[in-house]
Amino acid sequence: MTTAARAPRGGRAVPLTVGVRVEGGRAVLRARGELVHGCADTLAEALAELPPGIARVELDAGEVVFLDTAGLTALDTLREYGRRRNVPVGATGWRGQPRRVLELTGLDPVDPLGGTPPAGLRERAASAVARERAEQLDVLRLEIAQLRHAIDSRPVIDQARGILMAAHACTPDQAWDILREASQRTNTKLRQVAAAVTASAAPDGTPPPEPLRSALADAVRRVSTAARAPKESCGRSPAHAARRAAG
């Protein structure tokens, strides 16, 4: 049995369903989607259709993706069902945003129906949802800043790769490896390494600083050696290839 909620917004279906599985005297309600306005009615409908003789009801919230203040009324509905029928109820499996909201509200995310609800739950829930949204906004802002930095860095990195490819007859991947290795060895940001390579290629450009210049030269030698090794060892014994590499 599956029950779907209806949205208060333009009649669209809210992505929330409640599937019911009965095993002996235990009923498991599997919620999927968002616990928002109207979800308490959806849960109440599912509970009303449970057969007689149910000894325990569990709400599996593992696939609940969003929880707001109105969604907490679903927990009240389940708690009230257990009180009226004198059966134990639980709500487990919380993850992601719903779990974070429960934590900020002061409810136990392992089973928010256990124990007595904290005082001022609605006010605390509203504050928790607002705080969780602020945290998500901060994460999005950081991701946007990182994407912008990557977009700004890409042209100079591509230019540096082209310069290395022309100077050392290497592939795009090998040029990338050279830049990355030099960046790691000198603890210099990749964009700064690329900018130094690009600047040094200008007619009046200056070479990179000595530590970076040495790191670039070492990286070029390593990449070049690695590229030649398979060709030089082809058709020869491993011992012969080893002698050539050493000498």
Side-chain angles (χ1 to χ4, degrees):
M1 176 179 65
T2 300
T3 305
R6 293 290 168 181
R9 308 183 293 272
R12 290 191 299 110
V14 172
L16 172 69
T17 60
V18 179
V20 179
R21 184 179 77 254
V22 177
E23 301 173 343
R26 174 173 170 265
V28 178
L29 281 59
R30 189 175 185 180
R32 296 180 179 178
E34 301 178 349
L35 282 177
V36 292
H37 183 76
C39 65
D41 295 337
T42 303
L43 182 58
E45 292 174 8
L47 291 170
E49 295 183 21
L50 292 179
I54 295 297
R56 179 175 178 80
V57 179
E58 296 179 5
L59 176 68
D60 180 358
E63 296 185 62
V64 174
V65 296
F66 183 79
L67 171 67
D68 67 4
T69 308
L72 288 175
T73 57
L75 300 182
D76 293 338
T77 299
L78 186 54
R79 184 184 288 107
E80 180 62 19
Y81 177 91
R83 188 188 64 79
R84 291 199 319 268
R85 303 297 179 93
N86 194 29
V87 297
V89 294
T92 61
W94 301 92
R95 299 185 298 176
Q97 186 268 357
R99 182 183 180 92
R100 180 59 175 154
V101 169
L102 292 175
E103 291 173 343
L104 294 173
T105 304
L107 294 171
D108 183 359
V110 176
D111 186 0
L113 295 179
T116 303
L121 179 61
R122 290 294 174 269
E123 293 76 9
R124 296 176 67 170
S127 175
V129 171
R131 180 175 172 184
E132 192 278 334
R133 286 175 175 169
E135 291 176 352
Q136 290 296 320
L137 182 59
D138 288 341
V139 171
L140 290 175
R141 284 172 174 165
L142 178 60
E143 291 179 353
I144 291 172
Q146 291 173 340
L147 287 172
R148 286 176 175 170
H149 178 74
I151 291 172
D152 292 341
S153 301
R154 189 58 187 258
V156 69
I157 292 174
D158 286 343
Q159 290 176 5
R161 290 172 71 186
I163 292 169
L164 293 173
M165 290 164 60
H168 304 289
C170 60
T171 67
D173 288 343
Q174 290 170 337
W176 171 261
D177 289 341
I178 293 170
L179 291 173
R180 185 177 58 183
E181 182 175 324
S183 171
Q184 293 173 344
R185 287 194 175 191
T186 60
N187 195 26
T188 305
K189 291 183 178 180
L190 187 65
R191 186 182 187 280
Q192 295 175 343
V193 175
V197 171
T198 302
S200 67
D204 56 347
T206 57
E210 173 54 32
L212 180 55
R213 189 163 66 250
S214 298
L216 286 167
D218 290 343
V220 168
R221 282 194 294 271
R222 185 194 61 77
V223 168
S224 300
T225 300
R228 290 196 305 268
K231 298 179 181 179
E232 293 181 349
S233 61
C234 181
R236 299 185 178 93
S237 68
H240 180 83
R243 288 194 298 270
R244 287 292 303 274

